[in-house]
Amino acid sequence: METSEPVIKEIDLSFLNEVENESQIKVSACFQCRKCSNGCPMTFAMDYHPYQVVRFVNLGLKERLIDSKTIWLCSSCHTCVTRCPNEIDIPKLMDYLKGKVSTGAGQAAEKNVELFHREFLKSVKAHGRVFEGGLMRGYMIRSGQMWQPRKVMDNALLGLKMFKKGRLKLTPTRIKGLNKVQKMFQRHWQ
Amino acid sequence: MKVSYYPGCSLESTASDYNASIQALTGMLGIELSEVEDWNCCGSTSAHSLSPELSLVLSARNVVRAEAAGRDLIVPCSLCFNRLKTAEKALRQGTVSEYNFSGSIQVRDILEFFSSSEVLDRFVDMINKPLRGLKALCYYGCQGNRPPQIIGRTDCENPMDMDRLVEACGATAVDWPFKTDCCGASHAVARQDVVYELVGRLFDRAVAQGADCFVVSCQMCQANLDMYQEKISQARGQKYQIPVFYFTELMGLALGHPDVSKWLSRHFVDPSPLLNQLELL
Ligand code: SF4
Ligand code: SF4
């Protein structure tokens, strides 16, 4: 992230307040002990470690977080919040930041992760339960992997093996209370 | 004993073997499972990632339906359990305005339920085929234990429920430091490389500890460790061959349930050579 531009340009002084008020997470309690990050299983793939995410919120470095891969790669394993001496709910903070991006603050740095979540929710909205077959098809098409023969082959082989072993369901189950579920989506999803 | 049951979407498909072993086992132990009527998906990682409010109401609907049936709610999938438990807590605090909940029932993780003395004592009395010689690594994963603020456990850094169950079956639970590490479940589709790395580390450790197999209580963990094992072997230039059992399958084996082979035939890594060698099948 080092550029010749002065860092000061990036600073949004109201960001900390905004995050704390909207998410109810006490981000300013962090004293940078890094205990969260020592136990985080995903740091090998992240662009910023969890303690840096917390630090960036405190410093008002909003854009860096909006553009980061880390918020999408956090697996919500809750190791960090379990060990944080200040009980800062980092996975909840990551969700909050993902929410900002997906409701228009930017583009997800891990496009396929966001796409997968969207396709998953579409399936739940359509049936009330997720239908893995339909979810995978939607994901493959929209991620462009439908046009990559190797990916298609890999998935077809896995699907076939799952089917033979009775681990693949071929039709969705539609719940009776689908109406209710769809109302929840109307109210709470974008 | 009567309890409500929330199978979750995967137990209708990828984890149908888990479902079958749970049904069989509860039948043998005289536990009546009644599925929550018309349950819906908890929204999994995707809902809480994009809309925590949606995640909460989706899960709350199931908890409230279980309360209407008047029995504690047993949940096999660790992810569903985590979401439903989070909703239970919010309902108790009155922060989900859409629903009324009087708090008369609890959401319980299936592993905690089976290892509670009310169930374990019954089980131990019925064992007729102890699993002697089997060296198992109990892999708990993340969602069933953490965060303690929600789950309410004090042993989340070193849970022992599954170890006690496995030992009760007559097998040896091998101690290891990666019990509650994450398998990357939610990234299995979009970032397979990440899952391969996380699970690969578990495999290397299993080999180093000289264990025969993994035991799990979550179907996400099972899928990541079992279905992708061949691929992960190729990616890491190794030849892993480590069966991944559900704890309920080992319990069924120890009780001599006739369907055990049927459940195991759905695994990708065939456990029968190991079990035959130990004369357990
Ligand atoms: S463990 Fe908590 S206090 Fe320590 S660096 Fe991480 S967030 Fe900050
Ligand atoms: S919840 Fe996210 S940030 Fe925290 S330890 Fe797990 S992967 Fe890392």
Side-chain angles (χ1 to χ4, degrees), chain A residues 34-50:
Chain A
R34 306 190 184 182
K35 207 173 169 194
C36 51
S37 307
N38 289 337
C40 171
M42 301 298 295
T43 47
F44 74 95
M46 289 172 162
D47 44 6
Y48 302 115
H49 288 193

Side-chain angles (χ1 to χ4, degrees), chain A:
Chain A
M1 277 312 286
E2 297 313 316
T3 61
S4 51
E5 297 280 305
V7 167
I8 199 95
K9 265 193 160 176
E10 288 183 63
I11 294 179
D12 175 346
L13 289 173
S14 58
F15 191 49
L16 173 62
N17 264 336
E18 182 185 322
V19 174
E20 289 199 334
N21 289 337
E22 289 178 6
S23 71
Q24 303 295 313
I25 305 164
K26 195 92 189 99
V27 190
S28 54
C30 172
F31 45 46
Q32 291 289 294
C33 68
R34 306 190 184 182
K35 207 173 169 194
C36 51
S37 307
N38 289 337
C40 171
M42 301 298 295
T43 47
F44 74 95
M46 289 172 162
D47 44 6
Y48 302 115
H49 288 193
Y51 78 92
Q52 289 177 297
V53 170
V54 177
R55 186 72 177 144
F56 291 172
V57 175
N58 279 292
L59 292 175
L61 299 176
K62 180 176 176 178
E63 294 308 316
R64 285 199 198 186
L65 294 173
I66 298 296
D67 294 341
S68 77
K69 292 175 186 291
T70 293
I71 58 174
W72 298 98
L73 289 175
C74 163
S75 65
S76 291
C77 74
H78 290 97
T79 306
C80 50
V81 50
T82 300
R83 295 180 182 170
C84 170
N86 297 310
E87 294 188 32
I88 297 171
D89 196 335
I90 296 178
K92 191 171 162 194
L93 176 63
M94 302 281 193
D95 284 348
Y96 169 83
L97 294 167
K98 286 192 282 270
K100 286 241 149 195
V101 176
S102 69
T103 50
Q107 290 262 322
E110 286 286 333
K111 265 200 296 204
N112 286 348
V113 175
E114 190 198 28
L115 177 68
F116 176 78
H117 292 325
R118 283 186 188 279
E119 291 298 319
F120 189 102
L121 291 181
K122 262 195 220 164
S123 182
V124 178
K125 190 179 172 194
H127 315 295
R129 292 183 192 166
V130 71
F131 172 50
E132 286 157 348
L135 161 63
M136 279 310 290
R137 227 190 70 218
Y139 174 80
M140 289 288 288
I141 293 173
R142 279 173 202 91
S143 64
Q145 292 178 25
M146 210 54 159
W147 323 116
Q148 297 172 19
R150 242 198 95 173
K151 282 272 177 194
V152 175
M153 199 58 185
D154 269 6
N155 274 310
L157 286 175
L158 183 69
L160 188 66
K161 200 161 171 193
M162 286 170 72
F163 177 68
K164 279 198 198 142
K165 295 197 171 276
R167 292 176 74 162
L168 197 68
K169 199 160 156 280
L170 296 178
T171 49
T173 308
R174 176 169 295 208
I175 67 163
K176 285 185 243 143
L178 186 57
N179 251 341
K180 281 227 150 154
V181 167
Q182 294 188 336
K183 282 212 183 92
M184 296 178 195
F185 272 85
Q186 275 159 21
R187 202 168 316 148
H188 299 289
W189 198 37
Q190 323 213 323

Side-chain angles (χ1 to χ4, degrees), chain B:
Chain B
M1 196 189 307
K2 294 178 178 175
V3 287
S4 286
Y5 180 53
Y6 176 87
C9 306
S10 325
L11 271 79
E12 291 192 321
S13 55
T14 27
S16 54
D17 46 353
Y18 193 18
N19 203 14
S21 66
I22 292 167
Q23 302 283 354
L25 206 59
T26 44
M28 279 183 104
L29 294 169
I31 299 162
E32 194 187 310
L33 280 188
S34 65
E35 200 165 307
V36 175
E37 210 251 311
D38 203 43
W39 56 270
N40 61 274
C41 172
C42 70
S44 190
T45 313
S46 299
H48 76 72
S49 290
L50 299 187
S51 167
E53 299 79 18
L54 177 64
S55 171
L56 211 52
V57 286
L58 282 171
S59 302
R61 177 175 177 269
N62 300 305
V63 178
V64 170
R65 291 175 93 77
E67 182 170 59
R71 303 166 181 184
D72 276 357
L73 179 58
I74 307 302
V75 188
C77 165
S78 300
L79 240 165
C80 303
F81 165 70
N82 195 293
R83 298 327 305 159
L84 265 52
K85 196 74 189 167
T86 303
E88 180 202 322
K89 181 135 195 205
L91 284 164
R92 275 184 205 280
Q93 292 168 340
T95 50
V96 195
S97 55
E98 285 96 329
Y99 290 107
N100 289 319
F101 180 69
S102 73
S104 63
I105 61 138
Q106 285 205 37
V107 177
R108 295 177 68 180
D109 167 39
I110 198 164
L111 177 62
E112 177 270 314
F113 173 68
F114 271 102
S115 51
S116 65
S117 59
E118 45 182 340
V119 181
L120 192 60
D121 293 349
R122 276 190 209 195
F123 167 68
V124 170
D125 284 343
M126 290 169 67
I127 291 179
N128 57 18
K129 240 178 79 184
L131 309 181
R132 277 192 239 296
L134 188 70
K135 288 183 287 189
L137 282 182
C138 295
Y139 177 52
Y140 296 76
C142 36
Q143 304 293 327
N145 294 293
R146 288 189 298 259
Q149 293 88 339
I150 300 284
I151 313 295
R153 298 190 67 107
T154 51
D155 62 350
C156 64
E157 294 283 3
N158 185 22
M160 289 300 290
D161 282 353
M162 206 190 309
D163 293 65
R164 281 191 288 114
L165 257 175
V166 162
E167 297 267 343
C169 289
T172 304
V174 180
D175 194 24
W176 70 314
F178 294 175
K179 271 182 180 182
T180 63
D181 279 12
C182 177
C183 72
S186 56
H187 292 315
V189 175
R191 283 295 302 264
Q192 241 171 25
D193 57 318
V194 164
V195 172
Y196 284 14
E197 172 61 26
L198 291 173
V199 178
R201 292 179 193 170
L202 302 177
F203 290 159
D204 287 344
R205 191 72 198 202
V207 172
Q209 304 267 148
D212 297 328
C213 61
F214 287 103
V215 191
V216 299
S217 69
C218 168
Q219 87 293 341
M220 295 282 186
C221 301
Q222 208 281 343
N224 276 349
L225 271 63
D226 178 50
M227 289 194 339
Y228 299 126
Q229 196 168 127
E230 203 183 315
K231 288 252 161 217
I232 297 172
S233 290
Q234 285 165 8
R236 294 171 78 88
Q238 300 284 339
K239 272 211 161 71
Y240 305 116
Q241 184 68 35
I242 318 168
V244 187
F245 295 102
Y246 289 111
F247 74 98
T248 45
E249 291 174 333
L250 290 189
M251 290 173 81
L253 195 60
L255 296 183
H257 196 281
D259 291 346
V260 172
S261 299
K262 221 194 282 172
W263 312 329
L264 299 183
S265 70
R266 296 187 180 169
H267 289 211
F268 277 40
V269 180
D270 181 8
S272 47
L274 169 67
L275 295 177
N276 284 328
Q277 186 200 333
L278 295 170
E279 295 175 18
L280 295 175
L281 255 191

